[in-house]
Amino acid sequence: MFRKLSLEYFGGLLGEFGFETQLNYGPLYYRQNEADIFHFVMPQIGRYGDYFDVMVFANSPRINEDFADRLRVGIDVPSDNNSYLSLESGVSWDYVKYKCKKEKDFIESSETKVIPALQQFGLPYLDGIQTLTDLAKTVHPQVAKNYKLPD
């Protein structure tokens, strides 16, 4: 149910902004710009299926040597936990659990919280990450050693 509803509620909206969908472990929505920067929107269902969260972040094969392999099995998040989407605080540490135990919960959460947060915060945040320098500014210091960042 989660995958189907996610595609229905997020796939169309994100498709309008150039995102494609990776379904191997997702759904994972991504787009690539001319500088080889990838933007990601990643809704993730919780362990027991009663909630989901959404991460918004960027990554690139220019900083991540195993990027292509990771894209197929589970992309890493250079901004670490500073990537959660919230209607109250945008893209931040603010971890929000959106209800989805029942289909009506998913629909309500998506329509009233997730989609508005994507439109107001998530997409503009990603639009601001266009270059390798922009991307490097989003990498969390605790994981920076795992990436080839520009000086």
mmCIF file of all heavy atoms in Angstrom, residues 2-3 6-7 10-11 14 25-29 40-46 52-57 98 106 114 118:
data_model
loop_
_atom_site.group_PDB
_atom_site.id
_atom_site.type_symbol
_atom_site.label_atom_id
_atom_site.label_comp_id
_atom_site.label_asym_id
_atom_site.label_seq_id
_atom_site.Cartn_x
_atom_site.Cartn_y
_atom_site.Cartn_z
ATOM 1 N N PHE A 2 1.927 1.288 0.823
ATOM 2 C CA PHE A 2 2.745 2.497 0.942
ATOM 3 C C PHE A 2 3.355 2.895 -0.400
ATOM 4 O O PHE A 2 3.306 4.051 -0.804
ATOM 5 C CB PHE A 2 3.838 2.297 1.994
ATOM 6 C CG PHE A 2 4.741 3.479 2.138
ATOM 7 C CD1 PHE A 2 4.319 4.603 2.809
ATOM 8 C CD2 PHE A 2 6.009 3.478 1.576
ATOM 9 C CE1 PHE A 2 5.141 5.719 2.933
ATOM 10 C CE2 PHE A 2 6.834 4.575 1.695
ATOM 11 C CZ PHE A 2 6.401 5.696 2.373
ATOM 12 N N ARG A 3 3.919 1.930 -1.096
ATOM 13 C CA ARG A 3 4.554 2.221 -2.380
ATOM 14 C C ARG A 3 3.536 2.763 -3.382
ATOM 15 O O ARG A 3 3.778 3.757 -4.055
ATOM 16 C CB ARG A 3 5.220 0.968 -2.929
ATOM 17 C CG ARG A 3 5.951 1.208 -4.229
ATOM 18 C CD ARG A 3 6.601 -0.041 -4.709
ATOM 19 N NE ARG A 3 7.777 -0.280 -3.890
ATOM 20 C CZ ARG A 3 8.701 -1.162 -4.184
ATOM 21 N NH1 ARG A 3 8.584 -1.909 -5.254
ATOM 22 N NH2 ARG A 3 9.740 -1.323 -3.407
ATOM 23 N N SER A 6 2.412 6.257 -2.332
ATOM 24 C CA SER A 6 3.507 7.205 -2.522
ATOM 25 C C SER A 6 3.634 7.588 -3.991
ATOM 26 O O SER A 6 3.795 8.766 -4.322
ATOM 27 C CB SER A 6 4.812 6.596 -2.012
ATOM 28 O OG SER A 6 5.881 7.475 -2.259
ATOM 29 N N LEU A 7 3.572 6.608 -4.856
ATOM 30 C CA LEU A 7 3.648 6.906 -6.289
ATOM 31 C C LEU A 7 2.484 7.780 -6.727
ATOM 32 O O LEU A 7 2.650 8.716 -7.511
ATOM 33 C CB LEU A 7 3.680 5.611 -7.100
ATOM 34 C CG LEU A 7 4.969 4.810 -7.002
ATOM 35 C CD1 LEU A 7 4.793 3.436 -7.634
ATOM 36 C CD2 LEU A 7 6.115 5.558 -7.657
ATOM 37 N N PHE A 10 2.983 11.400 -4.532
ATOM 38 C CA PHE A 10 4.226 12.157 -4.693
ATOM 39 C C PHE A 10 4.795 12.061 -6.100
ATOM 40 O O PHE A 10 5.447 12.985 -6.568
ATOM 41 C CB PHE A 10 5.280 11.695 -3.689
ATOM 42 C CG PHE A 10 4.794 11.676 -2.272
ATOM 43 C CD1 PHE A 10 5.069 10.616 -1.451
ATOM 44 C CD2 PHE A 10 4.022 12.708 -1.763
ATOM 45 C CE1 PHE A 10 4.621 10.574 -0.139
ATOM 46 C CE2 PHE A 10 3.557 12.684 -0.452
ATOM 47 C CZ PHE A 10 3.857 11.609 0.357
ATOM 48 N N GLY A 11 4.570 10.939 -6.769
ATOM 49 C CA GLY A 11 5.161 10.718 -8.085
ATOM 50 C C GLY A 11 4.755 11.761 -9.112
ATOM 51 O O GLY A 11 5.600 12.284 -9.839
ATOM 52 N N LEU A 14 6.242 15.322 -8.108
ATOM 53 C CA LEU A 14 7.686 15.382 -8.313
ATOM 54 C C LEU A 14 8.050 15.218 -9.785
ATOM 55 O O LEU A 14 9.027 15.806 -10.257
ATOM 56 C CB LEU A 14 8.382 14.345 -7.439
ATOM 57 C CG LEU A 14 8.265 14.635 -5.939
ATOM 58 C CD1 LEU A 14 8.761 13.461 -5.115
ATOM 59 C CD2 LEU A 14 9.013 15.912 -5.577
ATOM 60 N N TYR A 25 14.093 -0.216 -3.815
ATOM 61 C CA TYR A 25 13.931 -0.298 -2.366
ATOM 62 C C TYR A 25 13.091 0.841 -1.846
ATOM 63 O O TYR A 25 12.998 1.050 -0.660
ATOM 64 C CB TYR A 25 15.303 -0.270 -1.670
ATOM 65 C CG TYR A 25 16.051 0.997 -1.943
ATOM 66 C CD1 TYR A 25 15.935 2.095 -1.109
ATOM 67 C CD2 TYR A 25 16.851 1.117 -3.070
ATOM 68 C CE1 TYR A 25 16.592 3.268 -1.391
ATOM 69 C CE2 TYR A 25 17.521 2.282 -3.338
ATOM 70 C CZ TYR A 25 17.388 3.350 -2.504
ATOM 71 O OH TYR A 25 18.043 4.499 -2.798
ATOM 72 N N GLY A 26 12.470 1.568 -2.704
ATOM 73 C CA GLY A 26 11.877 2.832 -2.353
ATOM 74 C C GLY A 26 10.391 2.787 -2.143
ATOM 75 O O GLY A 26 9.895 1.871 -1.547
ATOM 76 N N PRO A 27 9.750 3.767 -2.643
ATOM 77 C CA PRO A 27 10.182 4.580 -3.766
ATOM 78 C C PRO A 27 11.187 5.662 -3.373
ATOM 79 O O PRO A 27 11.161 6.172 -2.254
ATOM 80 C CB PRO A 27 8.895 5.212 -4.264
ATOM 81 C CG PRO A 27 7.995 5.235 -3.075
ATOM 82 C CD PRO A 27 8.384 4.067 -2.235
ATOM 83 N N LEU A 28 12.056 5.952 -4.301
ATOM 84 C CA LEU A 28 13.043 7.012 -4.170
ATOM 85 C C LEU A 28 12.880 7.886 -5.400
ATOM 86 O O LEU A 28 12.896 7.384 -6.523
ATOM 87 C CB LEU A 28 14.451 6.424 -4.123
ATOM 88 C CG LEU A 28 15.607 7.414 -4.140
ATOM 89 C CD1 LEU A 28 15.651 8.188 -2.823
ATOM 90 C CD2 LEU A 28 16.925 6.692 -4.355
ATOM 91 N N TYR A 29 12.706 9.163 -5.192
ATOM 92 C CA TYR A 29 12.532 10.104 -6.290
ATOM 93 C C TYR A 29 13.835 10.873 -6.455
ATOM 94 O O TYR A 29 14.423 11.332 -5.469
ATOM 95 C CB TYR A 29 11.377 11.059 -5.983
ATOM 96 C CG TYR A 29 10.099 10.312 -5.710
ATOM 97 C CD1 TYR A 29 9.713 9.997 -4.411
ATOM 98 C CD2 TYR A 29 9.299 9.872 -6.756
ATOM 99 C CE1 TYR A 29 8.554 9.282 -4.162
ATOM 100 C CE2 TYR A 29 8.138 9.152 -6.511
ATOM 101 C CZ TYR A 29 7.774 8.861 -5.221
ATOM 102 O OH TYR A 29 6.632 8.138 -4.973
ATOM 103 N N PHE A 40 17.296 14.248 -4.206
ATOM 104 C CA PHE A 40 16.503 13.097 -3.780
ATOM 105 C C PHE A 40 15.371 13.503 -2.848
ATOM 106 O O PHE A 40 15.545 14.371 -1.989
ATOM 107 C CB PHE A 40 17.375 12.083 -3.021
ATOM 108 C CG PHE A 40 18.416 11.435 -3.877
ATOM 109 C CD1 PHE A 40 19.715 11.927 -3.896
ATOM 110 C CD2 PHE A 40 18.107 10.338 -4.660
ATOM 111 C CE1 PHE A 40 20.676 11.332 -4.686
ATOM 112 C CE2 PHE A 40 19.061 9.737 -5.452
ATOM 113 C CZ PHE A 40 20.365 10.235 -5.465
ATOM 114 N N VAL A 41 14.244 12.843 -3.012
ATOM 115 C CA VAL A 41 13.134 12.883 -2.062
ATOM 116 C C VAL A 41 12.859 11.428 -1.726
ATOM 117 O O VAL A 41 12.577 10.618 -2.607
ATOM 118 C CB VAL A 41 11.882 13.571 -2.651
ATOM 119 C CG1 VAL A 41 10.714 13.481 -1.672
ATOM 120 C CG2 VAL A 41 12.185 15.017 -3.020
ATOM 121 N N MET A 42 12.990 11.099 -0.440
ATOM 122 C CA MET A 42 12.912 9.707 -0.031
ATOM 123 C C MET A 42 11.909 9.511 1.102
ATOM 124 O O MET A 42 12.225 9.713 2.275
ATOM 125 C CB MET A 42 14.306 9.227 0.418
ATOM 126 C CG MET A 42 14.366 7.759 0.751
ATOM 127 S SD MET A 42 16.075 7.149 0.959
ATOM 128 C CE MET A 42 16.606 8.043 2.432
ATOM 129 N N PRO A 43 10.674 9.139 0.756
ATOM 130 C CA PRO A 43 9.721 8.749 1.807
ATOM 131 C C PRO A 43 10.076 7.341 2.292
ATOM 132 O O PRO A 43 10.402 6.468 1.488
ATOM 133 C CB PRO A 43 8.368 8.764 1.098
ATOM 134 C CG PRO A 43 8.649 8.783 -0.357
ATOM 135 C CD PRO A 43 10.078 9.131 -0.558
ATOM 136 N N GLN A 44 10.052 7.150 3.601
ATOM 137 C CA GLN A 44 10.427 5.857 4.180
ATOM 138 C C GLN A 44 9.373 5.425 5.185
ATOM 139 O O GLN A 44 9.064 6.176 6.112
ATOM 140 C CB GLN A 44 11.755 5.972 4.924
ATOM 141 C CG GLN A 44 12.880 6.570 4.115
ATOM 142 C CD GLN A 44 14.078 6.814 4.997
ATOM 143 O OE1 GLN A 44 14.991 6.019 4.988
ATOM 144 N NE2 GLN A 44 14.078 7.892 5.761
ATOM 145 N N ILE A 45 8.881 4.224 5.015
ATOM 146 C CA ILE A 45 7.885 3.719 5.947
ATOM 147 C C ILE A 45 8.582 3.239 7.218
ATOM 148 O O ILE A 45 9.685 2.696 7.166
ATOM 149 C CB ILE A 45 7.030 2.609 5.308
ATOM 150 C CG1 ILE A 45 5.808 2.326 6.170
ATOM 151 C CG2 ILE A 45 7.848 1.375 5.014
ATOM 152 C CD1 ILE A 45 4.695 1.630 5.445
ATOM 153 N N GLY A 46 7.943 3.465 8.356
ATOM 154 C CA GLY A 46 8.492 3.040 9.644
ATOM 155 C C GLY A 46 8.456 1.536 9.814
ATOM 156 O O GLY A 46 7.780 0.816 9.068
ATOM 157 N N PHE A 52 5.382 7.182 8.335
ATOM 158 C CA PHE A 52 6.495 7.335 7.403
ATOM 159 C C PHE A 52 7.129 8.689 7.645
ATOM 160 O O PHE A 52 6.548 9.571 8.269
ATOM 161 C CB PHE A 52 6.055 7.160 5.939
ATOM 162 C CG PHE A 52 5.182 8.265 5.382
ATOM 163 C CD1 PHE A 52 5.713 9.245 4.556
ATOM 164 C CD2 PHE A 52 3.819 8.293 5.640
ATOM 165 C CE1 PHE A 52 4.908 10.245 4.017
ATOM 166 C CE2 PHE A 52 3.006 9.276 5.107
ATOM 167 C CZ PHE A 52 3.550 10.258 4.295
ATOM 168 N N ASP A 53 8.356 8.824 7.199
ATOM 169 C CA ASP A 53 9.035 10.106 7.225
ATOM 170 C C ASP A 53 9.509 10.401 5.811
ATOM 171 O O ASP A 53 9.422 9.547 4.929
ATOM 172 C CB ASP A 53 10.197 10.123 8.231
ATOM 173 C CG ASP A 53 11.273 9.112 7.896
ATOM 174 O OD1 ASP A 53 11.933 9.240 6.842
ATOM 175 O OD2 ASP A 53 11.482 8.178 8.696
ATOM 176 N N VAL A 54 9.990 11.602 5.585
ATOM 177 C CA VAL A 54 10.476 11.995 4.268
ATOM 178 C C VAL A 54 11.818 12.694 4.447
ATOM 179 O O VAL A 54 11.936 13.627 5.243
ATOM 180 C CB VAL A 54 9.484 12.939 3.547
ATOM 181 C CG1 VAL A 54 10.029 13.350 2.176
ATOM 182 C CG2 VAL A 54 8.116 12.290 3.419
ATOM 183 N N MET A 55 12.809 12.226 3.694
ATOM 184 C CA MET A 55 14.123 12.876 3.684
ATOM 185 C C MET A 55 14.308 13.575 2.339
ATOM 186 O O MET A 55 13.909 13.055 1.291
ATOM 187 C CB MET A 55 15.240 11.868 3.917
ATOM 188 C CG MET A 55 15.176 11.229 5.292
ATOM 189 S SD MET A 55 16.602 10.187 5.645
ATOM 190 C CE MET A 55 17.688 11.419 6.373
ATOM 191 N N VAL A 56 14.924 14.749 2.373
ATOM 192 C CA VAL A 56 15.198 15.563 1.193
ATOM 193 C C VAL A 56 16.682 15.897 1.248
ATOM 194 O O VAL A 56 17.154 16.484 2.225
ATOM 195 C CB VAL A 56 14.343 16.852 1.218
ATOM 196 C CG1 VAL A 56 14.687 17.752 0.045
ATOM 197 C CG2 VAL A 56 12.863 16.508 1.227
ATOM 198 N N PHE A 57 17.429 15.498 0.195
ATOM 199 C CA PHE A 57 18.884 15.677 0.237
ATOM 200 C C PHE A 57 19.469 15.606 -1.160
ATOM 201 O O PHE A 57 18.776 15.278 -2.129
ATOM 202 C CB PHE A 57 19.529 14.626 1.136
ATOM 203 C CG PHE A 57 19.288 13.207 0.684
ATOM 204 C CD1 PHE A 57 20.232 12.540 -0.079
ATOM 205 C CD2 PHE A 57 18.115 12.545 1.029
ATOM 206 C CE1 PHE A 57 20.000 11.236 -0.492
ATOM 207 C CE2 PHE A 57 17.885 11.240 0.620
ATOM 208 C CZ PHE A 57 18.828 10.576 -0.140
ATOM 209 N N TYR A 98 4.769 10.897 9.858
ATOM 210 C CA TYR A 98 3.488 11.111 9.209
ATOM 211 C C TYR A 98 2.683 9.818 9.285
ATOM 212 O O TYR A 98 3.192 8.746 8.962
ATOM 213 C CB TYR A 98 3.693 11.519 7.747
ATOM 214 C CG TYR A 98 4.515 12.779 7.601
ATOM 215 C CD1 TYR A 98 5.835 12.710 7.201
ATOM 216 C CD2 TYR A 98 3.963 14.020 7.883
ATOM 217 C CE1 TYR A 98 6.600 13.863 7.064
ATOM 218 C CE2 TYR A 98 4.722 15.177 7.760
ATOM 219 C CZ TYR A 98 6.041 15.086 7.341
ATOM 220 O OH TYR A 98 6.793 16.227 7.226
ATOM 221 N N PHE A 106 -2.623 8.021 5.429
ATOM 222 C CA PHE A 106 -1.596 8.409 4.462
ATOM 223 C C PHE A 106 -2.079 9.589 3.626
ATOM 224 O O PHE A 106 -1.347 10.566 3.440
ATOM 225 C CB PHE A 106 -1.238 7.230 3.539
ATOM 226 C CG PHE A 106 -0.189 7.587 2.531
ATOM 227 C CD1 PHE A 106 1.142 7.311 2.769
ATOM 228 C CD2 PHE A 106 -0.528 8.210 1.335
ATOM 229 C CE1 PHE A 106 2.113 7.657 1.846
ATOM 230 C CE2 PHE A 106 0.435 8.558 0.410
ATOM 231 C CZ PHE A 106 1.758 8.276 0.664
ATOM 232 N N VAL A 114 2.739 16.736 3.982
ATOM 233 C CA VAL A 114 3.909 16.408 3.164
ATOM 234 C C VAL A 114 3.958 17.208 1.871
ATOM 235 O O VAL A 114 4.980 17.826 1.561
ATOM 236 C CB VAL A 114 3.981 14.890 2.870
ATOM 237 C CG1 VAL A 114 5.189 14.579 1.997
ATOM 238 C CG2 VAL A 114 4.044 14.092 4.167
ATOM 239 N N LEU A 118 6.776 19.860 0.845
ATOM 240 C CA LEU A 118 7.599 19.703 -0.359
ATOM 241 C C LEU A 118 7.569 20.977 -1.195
ATOM 242 O O LEU A 118 8.610 21.449 -1.659
ATOM 243 C CB LEU A 118 7.110 18.527 -1.206
ATOM 244 C CG LEU A 118 7.578 17.151 -0.801
ATOM 245 C CD1 LEU A 118 6.809 16.079 -1.570
ATOM 246 C CD2 LEU A 118 9.079 17.000 -1.026
#
